[in-house]
Amino acid sequence: VVVGSYILVSLNPPSSGTYAFDTEEHEWHMVDKEHLPFVGSATPHRNSGCIFLALSRENGPVRTYRICVSASSSPSSVSTEARLSHKGGALNLSITVFSVRSKEHEEVDAMSGHYLTSLDSKRFSTLTFELDNRKRSRTFDDTIGDFRPRKLFAKLMTYQIENPEILNEEKLRAVMPEVSISSQSEQIFKISSDIGFSSPTITFALSI
């Protein structure tokens, strides 16, 4: 995730932890001994610079994150859920996690091949895909000596944020809101390829 002039990354063992690269000073800083609380990359929401959407490490639902990096060594406010703060160093990392649920308290579950993007202050979309591995839908690839699936199913879901005003900076400092959403649209696509697919990397671009 990119926060201001800092690039935050989490590393797997044996170098576990979260590091920040200062793009102005060209220096690395260790800001926490734990991983970031989400998987993959966090998607910026609007132009706030501190609000992001990402898939939680806890069972993978979509959640909203307020992520701040500062040069102050003073203790920062950190949510009890996130508990991510580097104290006594050159940089301070503060992450607050907010649930994203529908009026029926349902979360946006993550699936294999789940991509996420923010459309505007009131909408975001998810893209999931699944390869058709049935024998009748596979083709033999001479280059690898194995079969590849020829069909890819993709589902694009767009969600409406019912309370976008709650994501402004002042309210985030005062309360711990729950982002309320509703399903706005669902589109399902079937993509075919004669040469087949192999764990495809999808570029997710939407025009609004």
Side-chain angles (χ1 to χ4, degrees):
V1 60
V2 178
V3 183
S5 61
Y6 301 101
I7 302 173
L8 301 180
V9 296
S10 289
L11 303 179
N12 292 325
S15 301
S16 297
T18 298
Y19 295 79
F21 180 70
D22 187 334
T23 59
E24 295 179 350
E25 300 295 332
H26 302 284
E27 294 179 347
W28 283 97
H29 302 266
M30 184 173 185
V31 291
D32 199 86
K33 294 181 180 180
E34 302 295 330
H35 287 91
L36 291 165
F38 50 84
V39 294
S41 300
T43 300
H45 183 61
R46 303 187 300 176
N47 297 317
S48 66
C50 66
I51 306 300
F52 300 86
L53 297 169
L55 305 180
S56 171
R57 286 187 176 274
E58 300 176 4
N59 302 320
V62 175
R63 288 183 177 167
T64 302
Y65 298 86
R66 178 180 180 269
I67 306 176
C68 299
V69 179
S70 66
S72 172
S73 60
S74 60
S76 57
S77 175
V78 185
S79 75
T80 55
E81 180 179 359
R83 293 196 181 279
L84 288 176
S85 181
H86 175 65
K87 301 175 182 179
L91 293 180
N92 237 9
L93 171 64
S94 174
I95 301 180
T96 308
V97 187
F98 306 103
S99 298
V100 178
R101 291 191 175 96
S102 68
K103 293 182 179 178
E104 293 75 26
H105 300 288
E106 295 179 350
E107 295 181 314
V108 180
D109 292 328
M111 300 171 57
S112 175
H114 201 127
Y115 292 81
L116 179 67
T117 187
S118 177
L119 299 178
D120 51 37
S121 63
K122 297 182 179 180
R123 295 180 300 158
F124 68 91
S125 287
T126 62
L127 178 69
T128 58
F129 67 86
E130 181 180 0
L131 294 170
D132 187 351
N133 283 307
R134 293 176 296 179
K135 289 184 178 180
R136 65 182 183 182
S137 298
R138 294 188 295 177
T139 184
F140 189 78
D141 188 339
D142 293 325
T143 60
I144 63 173
D146 201 356
F147 289 90
R148 294 180 185 269
R150 290 185 292 106
K151 292 181 181 179
L152 173 73
F153 298 101
K155 181 169 70 172
L156 178 66
M157 295 288 298
T158 302
Y159 295 91
Q160 179 82 20
I161 299 177
E162 299 295 337
N163 55 344
E165 70 284 349
I166 209 166
L167 291 176
N168 68 53
E169 187 68 13
E170 291 183 0
K171 291 191 176 182
L172 285 176
R173 291 180 182 274
V175 299
M176 289 192 60
E178 180 177 282
V179 179
S180 178
I181 61 169
S182 61
S183 178
Q184 189 178 37
S185 66
E186 176 181 333
Q187 295 175 278
I188 298 177
F189 308 91
K190 181 176 70 174
I191 306 170
S192 300
S193 170
D194 291 336
I195 62 175
F197 296 98
S198 177
S199 300
T201 299
I202 293 182
T203 300
F204 191 7
L206 293 180
S207 175
I208 60 173

